[in-house]
Amino acid sequence: MEWDDAALLALEVDTVYGLVPAAAGRPATVTDKPVKAVWAWSPRARLLALGPGVTAPAQPPATALDTPEQPYAPEKAPRALVRLARALGVADPDTAIEGGPTYVFPERLPDPPPAALPVLVSDAAGRLAAQRLDRPGNWEPGEWAELISGAAGDWAMAVDGTAPVSICHTPEANATAAEAGIWTRADFRGRRLAPAVVAAWARRAAHHRQVLFYSTTAANHASRSVARTLGLTPLGWLWTLR
């Protein structure tokens, strides 16, 4: 299936936030997330969705939801989202709005630099091996058990002895798409482990989902470097008002 930018942006918002499309004069909304609004845009498409329970206040003659054709400016918060934040009484829109680039995995992913450590994936052998690993301190016991069993979706991890030190997993997914989530232990960063585990995750997740997304924040330059290393396709920018 061919996906244009509008369809991809809507699919990613649905994957990450749960999207209810606009209909019958009702704006698009997102579900089950503590956000006030989400704005996704690319050079060719844009989407604004309100958070659960948020009603756009009327501001005649131009409402807070008006979206004039502001030129695509990925590093700068969209005017529509700033206006909405002010209309909703957000004290400091600059700190309440966070954004970053989003990417789509290509059909053929280039091989990343070889990992210096073994990489496990969530096949039967990997799930069995993961039961003998030490749980990282940033994972709660229940979350870790769900992860290594495969119940939380596909994963890949680089291990140092019995310690997982870089993990790519599936924090969000729907029937069509999955989002990559990446963590590397602080003392193992800069060793090119993240590209290896992200690539391993993608090759496995591609068997279960049509589209794979990777997004990060503007300030996370290490994560953005992973996207460049893997040759991910830039889609646009995703902004969230909390």
Side-chain angles (χ1 to χ4, degrees):
M1 175 178 177
E2 292 292 331
W3 298 87
D4 60 19
D5 280 19
L8 285 170
L9 291 175
L11 181 59
E12 179 159 31
V13 171
D14 184 54
T15 302
V16 178
Y17 301 99
L19 177 65
V20 180
R26 173 182 52 76
T29 58
V30 294
T31 63
D32 299 327
K33 295 289 179 179
V35 299
K36 292 181 174 65
V38 175
W39 172 280
W41 67 346
S42 79
R44 293 164 292 278
R46 59 194 67 197
L47 169 66
L48 174 63
L50 298 180
V54 173
T55 301
Q59 292 185 322
T63 73
L65 285 182
D66 284 342
T67 55
E69 290 302 311
Q70 176 185 355
Y72 178 63
E75 299 281 349
K76 186 176 181 180
R79 290 195 296 259
L81 207 58
V82 174
R83 288 201 309 273
L84 179 60
R86 290 171 177 160
L88 293 175
V90 175
D92 187 356
D94 289 340
T95 59
I97 298 173
E98 183 179 54
T102 183
Y103 308 84
V104 180
F105 284 78
E107 289 187 11
R108 294 183 61 84
L109 199 63
D111 291 328
L117 294 172
V119 175
L120 303 177
V121 296
S122 52
D123 56 14
R127 295 195 302 271
L128 180 62
Q131 295 177 17
R132 299 187 290 271
L133 299 177
D134 302 325
R135 173 177 58 86
N138 59 321
W139 288 78
E140 295 296 329
E143 294 174 333
W144 181 248
E146 187 177 22
L147 174 75
I148 64 175
S149 71
D154 294 302
W155 53 261
M157 61 180 75
V159 296
D160 180 39
T162 61
V165 295
S166 186
I167 301 172
C168 185
H169 64 114
T170 310
E172 307 288 353
N174 59 21
T176 304
E179 178 88 8
I182 179 66
W183 164 82
T184 301
R185 209 171 77 182
D187 54 333
F188 279 83
R189 292 171 189 165
R191 303 191 191 186
R192 313 297 285 177
L193 295 175
V197 296
V198 172
W201 171 87
R203 291 191 174 99
R204 181 157 182 82
H207 293 292
H208 306 120
R209 298 293 189 274
Q210 295 179 41
V211 181
L212 303 179
F213 292 109
Y214 183 99
S215 59
T216 187
T217 60
N220 194 336
H221 298 290
S223 184
R224 296 172 73 171
S225 176
V226 170
R228 291 192 298 271
T229 298
L230 293 177
L232 304 188
T233 304
L235 171 59
W237 210 265
L238 192 62
W239 291 91
T240 304
L241 168 64
R242 298 185 185 276

